[in-house]
Amino acid sequence: MEVVFYIAAIVAIASTVLAITRLNAVHALLYLIVSLLSVAVVFYVIGAPFIAALEVIVYAGAIMVLFVFVVMMLNLGKAATDREREWQRPGMWVGPSILAAILIAEVAYLVASPGTAVYGSAVIEPKQVGIVLFGPYLIGVELASMLLLGALVGAYHLGRHTPEKTES
Amino acid sequence: MASVPMHQGLLLAGILFALGLTGLLVRRNVIFMLMSLEVMLNAAGLAFVVAGSRWGQADGQIVFLFILSMAAAEVSVGLALVLQIYRRFKTLDADAVSEMRG
Amino acid sequence: MLHLLWLIPAFPIASFLVLAIFGRRLPRKAVPVFGVGSIALSAVVAFLVAISFFTSPPPGNHFTQVLWTWIDVGGFQPQISFYLDALSLLMILVVTFVGFLIHLYSAEFMLEDEGYSRFFAYMNLFVASMCTLLLGSNLLLLFLGWEGVGLCSYLLIGFWYRDPVNGLAARKAFIVTRVGDTAMTLGLFLLFDKLGTLQIQELMHRALVQWPVGSTLPVVAALLLLGGAVGKSAQLPLQTWLPDAMAGPTPTSALIHAATMVTAGVYLIARTHVLFSLAPSAQMAVAIVGAVTLLMAGFSAVTQTDIKRILAYSTISQIGYMFLALGVGAWSAAMFHFMTHAFFKALLFLGAGVIIESLHHEHNIFKMGGLRKEMPVAFWTFLAAGCSLAGVPLITAGFYSKGLIIWDTWSSARGSGLLWLAAVIGVFLTALYTFRLIFVVFFGEAKTKVSKRPGPAMMVPCVILAVLAVVAGFVETPAFLGNIHVFTDFLHKALPVITEGPARGMTEFGSESLVTLAFLLGLYFAYLFYVQKREYAETLTAPAISKALQRFWYSDWGMDWLYERVFVRPILWIARVDKSDFVDYIYTGIALVTELFYHGVRKTETGRMRWYAAGIAAGSIIFLAIVLFL
């Protein structure tokens, strides 16, 4: 079963790389959805089926769809793609790549240190998650709901299209 | 299910995070920047779930739930802001919105 | 009635406050009520205190009145407390009485002046400060009074501030005395550091116990205090301010620069006499300073033409006598001369004021003449004072006080023949310049018309002082002339008796005779050159060398020129070089550097989101690195 993990990992990495290098916004988003799906597979492999399902449903299914809606609403067209090409010169990649490489190196060093923790392959059932969620983490749930309420109000207000004022 | 060594899961999370960071720094279009942000959030959540699974506790998944709801809230507000920017500046260039320069 | 002591400085301070705040609004007639009245009240209180002191002397012959604790920090607790003994009582009596007479005189003298109330305010503040100086029982309170009189001296010299020359003279006085004050401050620091107190009696006691005679500490402390005294009393090398201080109004010159402030140095040394007894080399320095100064000032006075400048140099010279007396250990003799000098010198200045006013502000004596007939009262009072100054034998106070000093210079254990000789030459010079002044101003033909005659407010003080200038000497006469020792007996309750040295060939009678001889010589030469045969004066001053000498002595032995070259010019040069104040650049430099950093950091605030994100990423990488590897 570990093989599935490695394959899913490679797919995730490859599709993420593709996602951040595309010029067309919709293409990038679709690649990102692929990446999210593969991460969901990873979740399933390491024994978190509930989260795998949620990843697909919420992240890839709702958040990315929201992205796609907005992109299509903006109706960018070919001009945007050309602009992207002109903004995306190869030279621009150097700095961020170096930063990212150093970061990866540090993380690798961090996680590679003391002993590899091999863990039991226990699957954590949704029921368990539910019990812990509404037990010790109850306050977190309430706060999250307030956060979503705030986001709702904010998004509604900020996204409102105020009618143009008449010329004075 | 499978017993994947933790450090490999964390390494995967680290690589995805770094890729998201690169995308954030390189792309000039705000939509792409938001997208890269989502990649980074996802990577962070992955790290949490891996850790929770290593210890056999549900806490990692719960934190991922919170991250998920936070990401949803952030994306909705963020995209609303993108719409405002597009209406006001007629462009999606992140460098055009630098009126707070010193 | 000794507890009325605090009123003596309190009346003048109250009057100062009233005049300073309300002076402009008071009617002109009301101002002297405060100005003169407060000093009169102080004088009355001083007399009451004196009577009480004489009739029922307090235990130990001293009285302390503590008012309140001034400062209380870290074991240093000076109090506002007044200390009365024979020395301070004598000086308080003289200061308040002569001060009252001078204030009465100036009520009429300054009547026309627009700064009438300001004048009295300053004068009252001066008397208050002087009383604080004299009565202070610790050196800090004394120093407060010291600075107060210095301030009032500055204010009064520059009283007619519209003329910049007066301001210059005032600043010169202040700065030169400041040099002395700095030395004195250092002395106070040293004394407090080593002995732990500034309470004068306690200080003297501890110094006696802790410091052996002749060791470095008392010598240094005494020399520093001498520095302060030299500044205030206009002795060598800080005497250059006094002749220029004559720019102030004449009552100021009379009060401050003749009778009181310039004797503050004498008082200081007499007060801290224990310290000087422990430091024989410092005491010898006092005597030498006194002797040299009296000679230098005497020579300078002979060549001056401004009536007030002659009197100024005369003051310097007479205080030199007092310093000489202190230096040889004749403490009481110095105070005796102080008392008689206060009377006759104040009178000389008041008389000079009368003359200057009457001749419509003429200062040059060679433009005066023949005033003997025109202004008889002024003539007789001035003559009385002049004779006392020169020391006319037997009938004037000056004869007795100066004679006592001169005899003590010879006979004291710390005296010497050389000092005695200097003092006797000084007598010759004093007689010479005094009678030169009198003959030129009052005899001969009148060169300027008298335009104004003085009123009673000006003449009564002169007459009173004239009487005192004659009779005040009779409280202390030598053994062969009545052997009266009222004065020294009184003062020996506070000051030590002079230690007689071995008999050295001359008796008191011999000394007095030689003094009289010197006096007669001076009188004769003055008569010869200025009354009888004026042409002798011309022939004497004709050759170039005597002209050069005359110029040299006229300019106070070139000291002003010297100080100008040595001190004033380098400082002005430094000021010119530092005109753009490069020390200030250190502070503006800090601002400049900050601005530079600001411009640099400003570039990082681009407003671009990716830049900030990159910053965050780089920062987190660095922190991770620090955590991992350090």
Side-chain angles (χ1 to χ4, degrees):
Chain A
M1 273 300 243
E2 288 83 356
V3 177
V4 179
F5 169 78
Y6 293 116
I7 296 175
I10 291 173
V11 171
I13 292 174
S15 58
T16 309
V17 171
L18 286 169
I20 63 179
T21 54
R22 292 306 98 198
L23 300 173
N24 192 327
V26 183
H27 294 177
L29 285 167
L30 292 174
Y31 276 116
L32 188 56
I33 292 177
V34 169
S35 163
L36 293 172
L37 290 176
S38 35
V39 169
V41 169
V42 168
F43 284 155
Y44 184 78
V45 163
I46 62 177
F50 178 56
I51 292 302
L54 275 181
E55 174 95 353
V56 174
I57 298 171
V58 176
Y59 224 127
I63 296 176
M64 287 301 127
V65 168
L66 191 55
F67 260 104
V68 171
F69 279 166
V70 170
V71 168
M72 292 188 172
M73 194 160 75
L74 287 177
N75 205 7
L76 297 171
K78 188 160 184 317
T81 322
D82 290 334
R83 223 181 19 242
E84 286 292 329
R85 185 171 300 117
E86 142 201 340
W87 283 347
Q88 278 247 83
R89 273 165 277 116
M92 301 265 308
W93 284 89
V94 173
S97 309
I98 291 177
L99 276 176
I102 298 176
L103 193 58
I104 293 175
E106 278 184 349
V107 171
Y109 180 81
L110 260 174
V111 301
S113 4
T116 52
V118 180
Y119 45 100
S121 38
V123 173
I124 300 174
E125 291 296 326
K127 181 170 171 185
Q128 241 176 309
V129 175
I131 290 172
V132 179
L133 185 64
F134 285 95
Y137 290 96
L138 187 57
I139 292 186
V141 174
E142 301 300 325
L143 287 175
S145 67
M146 276 201 269
L147 175 69
L148 288 169
L149 175 66
L152 178 68
V153 172
Y156 165 73
H157 179 72
L158 285 170
R160 219 153 49 118
H161 188 48
T162 49
E164 298 288 327
K165 300 252 184 330
T166 50
E167 302 299 303
S168 53
Chain B
M1 297 274 227
S3 48
V4 177
M6 184 173 85
H7 67 272
Q8 288 177 359
L10 289 180
L11 190 61
L12 172 64
I15 293 175
L16 284 177
F17 185 87
L19 285 174
L21 182 65
T22 314
L24 177 66
L25 295 178
V26 169
R27 306 304 300 243
R28 213 157 137 175
N29 194 327
V30 282
I31 304 254
F32 285 95
M33 287 170 84
L34 274 175
M35 206 176 63
S36 310
L37 219 52
E38 293 308 310
V39 170
M40 286 160 81
L41 278 170
N42 187 39
L46 173 61
F48 268 108
V49 172
V50 163
S53 176
R54 180 253 179 275
W55 291 101
Q57 290 174 347
D59 296 46
Q61 301 185 25
I62 287 168
V63 175
F64 186 84
L65 258 173
F66 290 142
I67 291 179
L68 208 53
S69 54
M70 187 221 86
E74 172 228 333
V75 161
S76 44
V77 174
L79 286 173
L81 281 173
V82 167
L83 285 177
Q84 281 286 351
I85 289 176
Y86 187 66
R87 273 184 218 134
R88 203 180 285 268
F89 293 93
K90 303 287 179 279
T91 173
L92 283 174
D93 185 356
D95 286 349
V97 225
S98 59
E99 277 180 16
M100 277 187 71
R101 62 175 158 270
Chain C
M1 258 184 292
L2 287 178
H3 57 269
L4 292 177
L5 192 58
W6 66 279
L7 284 176
I8 298 180
F11 281 130
I13 285 191
S15 166
F16 159 71
L17 285 171
V18 167
L19 285 174
I21 299 175
F22 300 114
R24 280 288 170 88
R25 282 168 256 167
L26 286 175
R28 200 153 268 249
K29 288 289 165 60
V31 168
V33 171
F34 285 100
V36 182
S38 60
I39 309 294
L41 284 172
S42 284
V44 165
V45 171
F47 273 120
L48 290 175
V49 166
I51 292 171
S52 177
F53 193 87
F54 283 128
T55 54
S56 50
N61 282 321
H62 65 259
F63 169 73
T64 311
Q65 184 178 39
V66 178
L67 291 182
W68 70 86
T69 306
W70 183 9
I71 304 171
D72 188 356
V73 55
F76 178 54
Q77 286 161 323
Q79 301 164 311
I80 306 283
S81 69
F82 295 138
Y83 177 82
L84 186 74
D85 66 352
L87 175 63
S88 51
L89 180 64
L90 169 74
M91 292 200 72
I92 284 284
L93 279 174
V94 172
V95 165
T96 51
F97 185 63
V98 174
F100 162 65
L101 290 176
I102 294 177
H103 276 73
L104 186 60
Y105 174 95
S106 43
E108 181 185 326
F109 188 82
M110 299 291 290
L111 190 57
E112 307 300 322
D113 199 289
E114 60 158 314
Y116 199 43
S117 58
R118 184 162 59 100
F119 180 78
F120 274 106
Y122 291 158
M123 292 285 269
N124 282 353
L125 182 64
F126 169 80
V127 175
S129 307
M130 191 72 198
C131 292
T132 312
L133 193 159
L134 294 171
L135 288 174
S137 81
N138 58 54
L139 283 174
L140 199 61
L141 193 56
L142 188 150
F143 191 64
L144 175 70
W146 190 271
E147 294 293 301
V149 299
L151 170 71
C152 295
S153 173
Y154 166 79
L155 289 172
L156 284 164
I157 296 174
F159 183 70
W160 292 311
Y161 53 86
R162 295 219 158 83
D163 186 356
V165 171
N166 299 337
L168 201 62
R171 280 203 301 283
K172 180 172 174 182
F174 194 76
I175 291 174
V176 173
T177 47
R178 204 80 192 114
V179 175
D181 293 346
T182 312
M184 182 167 161
T185 316
L186 289 174
L188 291 184
F189 288 157
L190 177 67
L191 285 172
F192 182 67
D193 185 46
K194 296 294 173 200
L195 295 175
T197 178
L198 284 179
Q199 201 64 18
I200 296 181
Q201 300 307 312
E202 181 62 29
L203 188 73
M204 297 297 123
H205 183 70
R206 288 191 198 178
L208 261 180
V209 168
Q210 288 182 11
W211 287 345
V213 176
S215 56
T216 10
L217 279 173
V219 171
V220 173
L223 282 177
L224 287 171
L225 288 180
L226 175 63
V230 154
K232 209 47 123 203
S233 296
Q235 299 293 290
L236 195 73
L238 295 174
Q239 87 279 19
T240 51
W241 64 272
L242 192 52
D244 289 336
M246 297 298 116
T250 310
T252 305
S253 307
L255 182 61
I256 299 185
H257 305 125
T260 45
M261 185 180 96
V262 289
T263 54
V266 177
Y267 172 73
L268 177 68
I269 296 181
R271 242 308 160 236
T272 56
H273 60 89
V274 169
L275 213 54
F276 284 89
S277 317
L278 289 174
S281 41
Q283 201 173 14
M284 179 56 71
V286 174
I288 293 176
V289 161
V292 175
T293 309
L294 74 91
L295 282 179
M296 274 179 64
F299 278 112
S300 295
V302 173
T303 61
Q304 298 294 322
T305 54
D306 182 331
I307 185 172
K308 281 176 75 172
R309 280 181 88 98
I310 296 179
L311 295 176
Y313 281 107
S314 168
T315 305
I316 299 176
S317 181
Q318 296 304 305
I319 298 180
Y321 271 102
M322 295 183 221
F323 268 60
L324 178 61
L326 292 171
V328 299
W331 314 101
S332 317
M335 301 318 295
F336 187 33
H337 196 56
F338 151 74
M339 184 177 80
T340 58
H341 175 262
F343 297 144
F344 60 67
K345 192 47 69 63
L347 175 54
L348 280 171
F349 271 104
L350 295 185
V354 167
I355 294 169
I356 291 173
E357 273 295 296
S358 305
L359 292 183
H360 208 59
H361 297 292
E362 179 57 63
H363 282 239
N364 189 342
I365 58 171
F366 288 107
K367 295 216 175 68
M368 308 174 189
L371 289 176
R372 184 168 46 122
K373 308 260 177 32
E374 298 286 328
M375 306 172 62
V377 182
F379 168 63
W380 286 107
T381 53
F382 201 89
L383 184 66
C387 290
S388 202
L389 168 60
V392 168
L394 297 178
I395 54 169
T396 55
F399 168 71
Y400 291 106
S401 61
K402 233 194 291 193
L404 184 60
I405 291 181
I406 296 177
W407 165 242
D408 281 339
T409 315
W410 178 269
S411 71
S412 159
R414 291 189 176 181
S416 83
L418 211 56
L419 292 171
W420 178 90
L421 185 63
V424 172
I425 295 177
V427 172
F428 166 70
L429 288 171
T430 309
L432 182 58
Y433 66 68
T434 309
F435 283 105
R436 166 179 181 262
L437 174 62
I438 293 179
F439 289 147
V440 171
V441 170
F442 290 104
F443 290 74
E445 27 175 295
K447 297 213 179 60
T448 314
K449 284 275 307 153
V450 173
S451 58
K452 216 166 57 152
R453 289 190 195 275
M458 280 166 68
M459 293 321 296
V460 166
C462 289
V463 170
I464 296 179
L465 285 173
V467 170
L468 280 172
V470 171
V471 307
F474 295 134
V475 293
E476 181 73 25
T477 63
F480 59 91
L481 280 176
N483 206 21
I484 306 172
H485 292 292
V486 173
F487 189 84
T488 43
D489 284 342
F490 171 61
L491 270 189
H492 286 152
K493 297 182 191 170
L495 293 172
V497 183
I498 178 174
T499 44
E500 302 274 328
R504 269 200 295 226
M506 188 159 58
T507 59
E508 191 168 4
F509 180 72
S511 169
E512 300 279 0
S513 326
L514 285 169
V515 165
T516 311
L517 185 62
F519 162 77
L520 287 172
L521 263 178
L523 174 59
Y524 173 67
F525 276 111
Y527 184 73
L528 184 67
F529 284 121
Y530 292 101
V531 177
Q532 239 188 6
K533 301 229 190 322
R534 296 254 175 145
E535 55 273 19
Y536 281 8
E538 265 90 66
T539 45
L540 198 60
T541 59
I545 179 160
S546 36
K547 274 212 183 355
L549 260 181
Q550 187 175 30
R551 263 202 316 273
F552 184 56
W553 287 335
Y554 183 81
S555 67
D556 192 14
W557 295 65
M559 296 220 64
D560 273 331
W561 177 91
L562 183 70
Y563 286 157
E564 162 93 23
R565 290 273 177 313
V566 172
F567 295 114
V568 176
R569 291 216 181 153
I571 291 180
L572 283 179
W573 178 82
I574 293 175
R576 237 172 291 133
V577 164
D578 194 27
K579 200 152 95 160
S580 55
D581 200 1
F582 47 78
V583 176
D584 206 31
Y585 274 160
I586 297 177
Y587 302 104
T588 54
I590 294 177
L592 272 170
V593 167
T594 314
E595 225 177 311
L596 223 70
F597 273 122
Y598 159 71
H599 282 294
V601 175
R602 186 165 162 258
K603 295 278 188 315
T604 62
E605 207 168 309
T606 55
R608 300 208 302 261
M609 206 170 7
R610 294 183 298 145
W611 175 268
Y612 294 157
I616 295 175
S620 49
I621 288 175
I622 292 174
F623 277 126
L624 266 179
I626 291 175
V627 167
L628 283 180
F629 301 119
L630 285 175

